[in-house]
Amino acid sequence: MARRNTLSIIFFFVVAEIAQVCLCANSSSIPCIERERQTLLEFKASLNYDPTNRLSSWEGVHCCQWEGVGCDYLTSRVVKLDLSNLPYNTCWRSLSKLYDDRVEIIEDQCEDLNRPVGAPYVSSSLLQLEYLTYLDLSGNDFYGSSIPTFIASMQRLTYLSLSDAEFDGKIPSSFGNLTNMRFLDLGHNDYDYNYDSQALDMDWISELQSLEYLDMSNVYIGDGTYKLFQVLNMLPSLSSIYLDDCGIQILPLINVTNAPKLQALSLQLNEFTVSILHFQNMTSLLHLDLSGNNLTSPPSWFGNFKKLEYLDLSYCGLSQIPDAFRNITSIEHLYLSGNNLESLPSLFCKFEKLKHFILSSNGFRGSIPDAIRNLTSIEMLGLSSNYLTSIPFWLVELKTLLHLDVSRNELMAMEYSISSIIRNMCQLRGLYLSENKLKTISNGSNEFPTSTQYDLEIMDLSDNQVSEHLPSWLGLLENLNQFVGLSYLNLSSNNLNGTIVIGNLSSKKFQLCVLDLSANQISGSLPEHIGYAMPTLEYLHLGNNFINGSIPSSLCHPALSILDLSKNRLSGKIPNCWKDNQIWESIDLSSNNLSGAIPSTLGNLSTLYWLHLNNNSLQGEIPVLERKMDKLLILDVGENKLSGSIPSSIADTFPELQILRMPQNMLSGSMPSQLCQLSSLKILDLSKNKLGGSIPWCIGNMRGMILNISAYHSTVVGTSADPPVEEQWPTEDVNEVMKGRELDYIRILKLVVIINLSENKLVGDIPEGITLLTGLHGLNLSHNHLNGNIPNMIGDMKSLESLDVSNNQLSGTIPSSISAITSLSRLNLSHNNLSGPIPTENQFSTFEASTYVGNPYLCGLPLPNSCSSNSSSQGPGDEENGTRDKLEKWGFYFVVAAGFATGFWGIIGLLYLKKNWRHACFKRMEDVADWIYVEVAVTMRKLKKQSVRSQVHG
């Protein structure tokens, strides 16, 4: 049963909606009250975040037709405002529970549900909608503002949902004024939430005598638990309570007089134990969720729940199923994941209505428990993450079974083939066998009956040890026409060999969306028509094989979203046929033998997030694209033969870029200052090129590399990416040199911050602004021609773990502030012209002599040069230069003295001997003095007049 599928509430609101629809059969005829239309426009104007333009319909005069707005047919009053936005994490959680984490193929169902709007606060203009009865702002973003207290004045409200809207602080006690409220949702569905909302004062809830549904999940209750349950017992109509992760440690013993009316109760992720459970009177419960608590053994009165349809006791520490379960024969959904169960009692033979049975992450060994054989209505069976070694053949007797998950077990070669299971379970829709030890699938049974049409939708056999020839089963993909509903096929990380041959898959019902054959031993070339043969294909993963030949141009077809052909033996040019289908997310052609230029048509893919072309033999210049790729996060063209300069338009073309890799090419010219405008950049690797000039002085403007601001971009700016892309971040990987080693960053890639400009021809100083990059983990400027000093403020780079400035022409001393970088574990200052003492604080005592080799005038440990004598701290040629400086100094004094004597006595002597010269000189001096006096007087007079004039006209 879904989380909010409480029958009484749904019945009430469905009836209300039907009545509304009946009254509003011709909605275009409903007039719109002008004052309320202006109120709605004022509310829209208060929103500063609407990335998907959800409220684009909010224009014109007919406000009753606007999205999310509902009016009363008779009065024309706005009675409903529904701006709810189902958060992606909520959708993911519900699907994860349904399929026990095997939900890759149905993830897309949630993509278009995440369309939030946001504002720093909720505009009080809503008060003007005085007839409003329904208000839903859930799933939006109000920036951690307080829950608006003015809502307490909207006393006609019967439905209010503020869940997952990023509100903070305490729930206003004035909400007790909403006496007509029947549905109240103030919870959060994010279980990592930090209890920002608090409800320590519970008395106000007792005023809501009409309340039927209450959700306060992730609202901290703590010591107020006793008071809360007292108050809830006073509500005569309450039928659904959700108090997940509320800090409830003790459930008080209360005389629950209204228990017979309670149909749904969820208390998951609290910390109470079985000894304080007191629910025996709640015999009308249909939905009970106690998962994530400390219930080592459910009490005997669990048998009283004879109407229970949904029970979740996952991660409760259960070691056995109590006999009390024998009486819960009405159960349809039973979740027991994450416990310590090793066997199932025979009492399950009575569970004739059980449809969903999830037992993942327990201790089952050997074969699937025989008790499951009696579940005649079972549709979903989850046994992942156990220790099963075999699947019994009686499983084919479960004719109602739709989804079977036995992934992450120890299944090995079986007496019969997986093909046999599929052949005898034609109704099966999802088969999950990944992460086992299967070495064969067909056991010699290579073909499926050609007359049978299978209903299989999802097949995951990845991460096994299958060594069969690819054509030996599924008819070389030719027989996939028998699987007309197959949408997800994953055979990755096996030892499958052979070539890919695709037959005629033109069936209109054929709808394969995901095909993953990566990490196998597949060889040969790709069929030229592969893209046309599978017109619905969205995800194609063929990476890490031995595929050769060229890339078929049919893969440019418009349905693809993710294409991975990396780590193969492909050659030739990349097709120049890419078209914008508005769904492209990723293209990975790395680690092949591709040549030619980078196709300019790749710039047409406006929705692309990841582009990996590295480790090929691509030539020519980096193309200057005419269109903006404003979603691209990773551009990797490293390890190629690209030449020319880095385009100065790079920041305009890729404004959201977070990783830019161009190492090991033949790029020349200087680093464009426009690189500094890439404010989200976290990895910049231009190493092993022929770049000259200086490092841009503005490099400190890369805000994505600044501590805290970098985190801000990850959580705020990063949310502009669609949630599926955020989920895909952990699968992206790049190779980077860090701490002197080449590392393959994958799962933590989004957290890595690196600049590598090594092995170029850069000159000039290290910009002082580089020390502003306080989030930088690795900085490599080695093997250039940099001079000057190491910046004095380098100690501000507190996150630095690796610093390499070796093989340059740096001089001066090692800044003492560098010892403040306590995270620094690798340092290379070798082969420069540094001088003076080596710091001894913190980890500097652990660095080896190789850190400083090639700087003969450095002194102190670990070098043999002592800093005790003056000579040891002198730079190269200092003694000779000192002698020359002294001679030049005395020479300078002599010249100055001689010049003064000659000039002074030469002029004075002439004036003394020549009377007429003396008179002329004094006369000239008097004339000049008179001229200066007159000019100053006239100027002062003019300034005075201007001042007087301005005062008069002022």
Side-chain angles (χ1 to χ4, degrees):
M1 180 181 293
R3 175 178 173 83
R4 297 178 180 176
N5 190 19
T6 303
L7 297 179
S8 60
I9 298 174
I10 289 183
F11 178 77
F12 167 75
F13 285 106
V14 166
V15 170
E17 286 297 314
I18 292 176
Q20 184 73 12
V21 170
C22 293
L23 289 173
C24 304
N26 186 10
S27 60
S28 60
S29 63
I30 300 179
C32 183
I33 296 177
E34 178 62 20
R35 187 181 69 172
E36 295 188 339
R37 188 181 76 89
Q38 293 296 333
T39 296
L40 292 171
L41 291 177
E42 185 178 346
F43 175 77
K44 177 183 177 180
S46 70
L47 303 175
N48 60 358
Y49 182 74
D50 186 7
T52 58
N53 204 19
R54 284 184 61 196
L55 303 187
S56 58
S57 65
W58 284 33
E59 55 185 25
V61 296
H62 299 291
C63 66
C64 294
Q65 301 177 29
W66 294 353
E67 180 181 354
V69 178
C71 296
D72 183 271
Y73 177 73
L74 297 176
T75 64
S76 300
R77 296 284 187 177
V78 174
V79 295
K80 179 178 181 179
L81 182 58
D82 185 357
L83 298 180
S84 60
N85 170 62
L86 180 62
Y88 181 78
N89 66 317
T90 304
C91 180
W92 174 264
R93 183 167 61 88
S94 62
L95 291 175
S96 294
K97 178 161 289 187
L98 186 62
Y99 285 92
D100 192 30
D101 296 329
R102 313 302 298 172
V103 293
E104 294 93 334
I105 192 60
I106 52 178
E107 179 181 349
D108 287 342
Q109 297 179 12
C110 306
E111 289 188 29
D112 57 356
L113 300 177
N114 192 22
R115 301 187 301 149
V117 297
Y121 60 91
V122 179
S123 173
S124 59
S125 60
L126 293 180
L127 278 173
Q128 303 300 319
L129 304 176
E130 52 188 287
Y131 289 88
L132 202 65
T133 61
Y134 187 111
L135 177 60
D136 194 336
L137 302 176
S138 60
N140 292 295
D141 187 358
F142 291 98
Y143 298 9
S145 60
S146 299
I147 296 177
T149 57
F150 70 80
I151 293 180
S153 301
M154 307 172 75
Q155 297 186 12
R156 294 179 185 267
L157 284 178
T158 60
Y159 184 108
L160 175 62
S161 180
L162 304 178
S163 65
D164 288 286
E166 300 300 328
F167 288 114
D168 195 2
K170 296 182 178 181
I171 299 173
S173 59
S174 56
F175 272 22
N177 296 332
L178 303 174
T179 54
N180 292 313
M181 190 65 61
R182 303 186 68 173
F183 184 105
L184 180 60
D185 188 350
L186 303 175
H188 307 282
N189 287 314
D190 182 359
Y191 291 143
D192 291 328
Y193 205 72
N194 293 322
Y195 296 134
D196 287 336
S197 295
Q198 300 182 5
L200 301 180
D201 180 10
M202 305 296 172
D203 289 332
W204 62 272
I205 300 180
S206 63
E207 302 296 328
L208 310 181
Q209 291 294 302
S210 299
L211 195 63
E212 298 177 10
Y213 180 104
L214 176 65
D215 190 338
M216 295 176 63
S217 299
N218 288 82
V219 176
Y220 183 69
I221 296 173
D223 295 337
T225 301
Y226 183 84
K227 182 65 174 179
L228 174 62
F229 277 84
Q230 275 189 324
V231 169
L232 295 180
N233 190 42
M234 300 168 61
L235 302 180
S237 302
L238 195 60
S239 61
S240 301
I241 303 174
Y242 294 91
L243 299 174
D244 303 339
D245 199 9
C246 291
I248 299 174
Q249 298 184 15
I250 297 178
L251 285 179
L253 178 58
I254 298 175
N255 183 19
V256 188
T257 57
N258 296 320
K261 295 184 179 180
L262 195 62
Q263 296 182 356
L265 176 63
S266 182
L267 296 168
Q268 62 172 300
L269 295 172
N270 287 285
E271 299 179 7
F272 52 77
T273 62
V274 65
S275 60
I276 46 85
L277 287 176
H278 306 287
F279 301 151
Q280 54 265 42
N281 293 331
M282 302 179 184
T283 55
S284 296
L285 275 180
L286 302 177
H287 177 118
L288 179 60
D289 191 341
L290 300 176
S291 59
N293 290 288
N294 301 317
L295 311 180
T296 55
S297 178
S300 59
W301 47 259
F302 254 66
N304 295 344
F305 299 143
K306 296 181 179 180
K307 297 182 179 180
L308 201 62
E309 298 176 359
Y310 179 106
L311 176 61
D312 193 341
L313 296 177
S314 302
Y315 298 94
C316 287
L318 300 177
S319 57
Q320 60 181 2
I321 303 295
D323 288 339
F325 270 48
R326 190 181 305 275
N327 297 325
I328 317 178
T329 56
S330 60
I331 198 75
E332 296 181 8
H333 305 264
L334 180 58
Y335 298 93
L336 298 174
S337 298
N339 286 291
N340 303 312
L341 302 175
E342 297 181 359
S343 62
L344 293 179
S346 59
L347 59 85
F348 279 95
C349 64
K350 296 185 177 181
F351 282 43
E352 298 178 354
K353 297 182 179 180
L354 188 60
K355 297 179 180 179
H356 296 179
F357 194 19
I358 308 301
L359 296 164
S360 59
S361 300
N362 276 284
F364 294 103
R365 300 177 182 275
S367 183
I368 294 177
D370 287 338
I372 295 176
R373 189 172 186 173
N374 301 314
L375 304 179
T376 56
S377 299
I378 191 70
E379 296 179 358
M380 295 185 181
L381 177 60
L383 284 162
S384 65
S385 299
N386 281 284
Y387 306 95
L388 300 176
T389 56
S390 65
I391 298 177
F393 196 71
W394 56 254
L395 198 69
V396 299
E397 299 174 6
L398 302 179
K399 299 301 182 181
T400 59
L401 189 62
L402 302 179
H403 290 268
L404 172 64
D405 187 353
V406 285
S407 60
R408 299 189 293 276
N409 276 280
E410 299 180 356
L411 299 177
M412 303 179 70
M414 292 174 286
E415 297 178 357
Y416 54 90
S417 66
I418 299 300
S419 304
S420 300
I421 292 181
I422 299 175
R423 184 186 300 113
N424 289 279
M425 301 180 70
C426 298
Q427 78 285 357
L428 200 64
R429 296 180 183 175
L431 177 61
Y432 310 95
L433 295 169
S434 64
E435 299 184 54
N436 279 286
K437 300 178 181 180
L438 296 172
K439 296 182 179 180
T440 181
I441 297 175
S442 61
N443 275 4
S445 177
N446 299 335
E447 297 181 359
F448 292 96
T450 56
S451 60
T452 304
Q453 295 291 317
Y454 297 96
D455 292 330
L456 199 64
E457 298 175 359
I458 304 171
M459 187 188 302
D460 189 349
L461 305 176
S462 61
D463 290 283
N464 278 283
Q465 302 171 14
V466 179
S467 301
E468 296 183 7
H469 195 60
L470 187 62
S472 66
W473 73 292
L474 291 186
L476 196 66
L477 301 184
E478 290 180 300
N479 286 333
L480 282 179
N481 262 330
Q482 300 169 56
F483 298 89
V484 294
L486 189 64
S487 55
Y488 181 98
L489 176 60
N490 190 346
L491 306 176
S492 64
S493 299
N494 281 285
N495 298 313
L496 295 171
N497 53 67
T499 59
I500 296 177
V501 178
I502 297 181
N504 181 18
L505 302 180
S506 59
S507 170
K508 293 182 179 180
K509 295 182 179 180
F510 185 75
Q511 52 186 13
L512 188 66
C513 295
V514 176
L515 175 60
D516 192 343
L517 301 176
S518 61
N520 279 286
Q521 300 178 19
I522 300 172
S523 57
S525 59
L526 295 176
E528 183 61 35
H529 67 296
I530 184 172
Y532 304 130
M534 295 183 285
T536 59
L537 196 64
E538 297 181 9
Y539 305 85
L540 178 59
H541 300 262
L542 299 176
N544 201 6
N545 279 288
F546 302 101
I547 301 173
N548 54 35
S550 59
I551 299 176
S553 58
S554 63
L555 291 178
C556 293
H557 80 94
L560 271 178
S561 175
I562 293 179
L563 174 63
D564 186 354
L565 302 177
S566 63
K567 299 178 182 178
N568 277 286
R569 299 175 179 177
L570 295 169
S571 58
K573 296 182 179 180
I574 301 174
N576 195 15
C577 56
W578 308 96
K579 298 180 181 180
D580 194 4
N581 57 11
Q582 300 295 318
I583 61 173
W584 274 108
E585 292 180 13
S586 175
I587 294 179
D588 191 346
L589 307 178
S590 63
S591 300
N592 280 286
N593 299 316
L594 299 171
S595 58
I598 297 176
S600 58
T601 55
L602 284 173
N604 295 333
L605 310 183
S606 60
T607 59
L608 200 67
Y609 290 93
W610 331 99
L611 179 58
H612 299 270
L613 304 177
N614 54 295
N615 200 16
N616 280 287
S617 298
L618 300 176
Q619 303 168 348
E621 298 187 357
I622 299 173
V624 177
L625 305 180
E626 297 180 359
R627 296 182 61 181
K628 179 180 292 188
M629 300 179 69
D630 53 4
K631 290 190 175 183
L632 196 69
L633 302 177
I634 295 180
L635 174 60
D636 192 347
V637 294
E639 298 85 30
N640 279 289
K641 299 178 181 179
L642 299 174
S643 57
S645 58
I646 301 174
S648 59
S649 60
I650 190 166
D652 294 330
T653 307
F654 313 112
E656 297 297 326
L657 208 60
Q658 295 191 25
I659 296 176
L660 175 60
R661 291 191 75 255
M662 298 181 173
Q664 206 167 329
N665 281 285
M666 296 183 290
L667 299 174
S668 57
S670 58
M671 292 176 58
S673 60
Q674 287 81 1
L675 286 172
C676 304
Q677 299 173 16
L678 295 171
S679 58
S680 299
L681 202 65
K682 294 181 179 179
I683 294 181
L684 174 63
D685 191 345
L686 305 176
S687 61
K688 298 182 181 180
N689 279 286
K690 300 179 180 180
L691 298 173
S694 59
I695 300 174
W697 61 270
C698 58
I699 195 169
N701 293 342
M702 294 182 176
R703 291 176 294 170
M705 301 184 182
I706 299 176
L707 204 61
N708 296 331
I709 295 182
S710 175
Y712 171 83
H713 276 265
S714 297
T715 57
V716 179
V717 177
T719 56
S720 63
D722 295 332
V725 174
E726 288 299 300
E727 293 291 331
Q728 193 176 334
W729 256 113
T731 65
E732 295 297 312
D733 69 304
V734 300
N735 290 327
E736 277 300 323
V737 175
M738 181 73 167
K739 300 182 181 181
R741 296 181 298 166
E742 186 174 41
L743 302 176
D744 187 5
Y745 288 101
I746 178 167
R747 297 191 181 278
I748 62 170
L749 177 60
K750 193 177 181 181
L751 306 176
V752 179
V753 186
I754 292 176
I755 290 180
N756 191 348
L757 306 178
S758 63
E759 298 188 48
N760 279 287
K761 299 180 180 180
L762 300 174
V763 298
D765 296 343
I766 299 176
E768 191 75 31
I770 204 170
T771 62
L772 298 174
L773 306 181
T774 52
L776 206 61
H777 299 138
L779 175 61
N780 192 343
L781 305 177
S782 64
H783 293 87
N784 279 288
H785 304 297
L786 300 173
N787 52 36
N789 299 332
I790 299 175
N792 286 327
M793 304 300 293
I794 195 168
D796 292 345
M797 305 176 75
K798 303 296 186 183
S799 303
L800 210 57
E801 300 176 16
S802 177
L803 173 62
D804 191 346
V805 293
S806 63
N807 292 277
N808 280 286
Q809 300 167 15
L810 301 175
S811 58
T813 60
I814 301 175
S816 59
S817 67
I818 197 172
S819 60
I821 310 177
T822 56
S823 59
L824 193 63
S825 59
R826 186 181 187 275
L827 176 65
N828 194 348
L829 305 178
S830 63
H831 300 289
N832 280 286
N833 296 319
L834 300 172
S835 59
I838 296 173
T840 58
E841 295 84 359
N842 297 326
Q843 73 274 28
F844 269 80
S845 60
T846 65
F847 293 139
E848 298 179 354
S850 59
T851 301
Y852 313 103
V853 69
N855 293 279
Y857 294 97
L858 281 177
C859 62
L861 294 175
L863 297 179
N865 301 343
S866 173
C867 296
S868 59
S869 61
N870 293 333
S871 62
S872 66
S873 62
Q874 291 179 340
D878 283 350
E879 185 175 351
E880 179 182 347
N881 292 339
T883 302
R884 185 169 61 249
D885 290 345
K886 291 180 180 178
L887 292 174
E888 291 178 353
K889 183 177 180 180
W890 284 109
F892 172 76
Y893 290 155
F894 175 78
V895 170
V896 170
F900 175 78
T902 302
F904 180 80
W905 290 109
I907 295 175
I908 296 300
L910 285 174
L911 292 178
Y912 179 77
L913 296 174
K914 294 285 188 177
K915 182 178 180 180
N916 55 339
W917 285 23
R918 184 168 65 251
H919 282 250
C921 179
F922 290 153
K923 179 66 170 61
R924 180 59 179 166
M925 291 176 63
E926 290 177 356
D927 291 343
V928 171
D930 291 342
W931 178 83
I932 292 174
Y933 173 78
V934 171
E935 287 296 322
V936 171
V938 171
T939 302
M940 293 298 295
R941 186 179 181 87
K942 289 181 179 179
L943 292 174
K944 187 175 181 180
K945 286 183 178 181
Q946 290 177 359
S947 176
V948 172
R949 188 179 295 113
S950 63
Q951 291 178 2
V952 172
H953 293 285

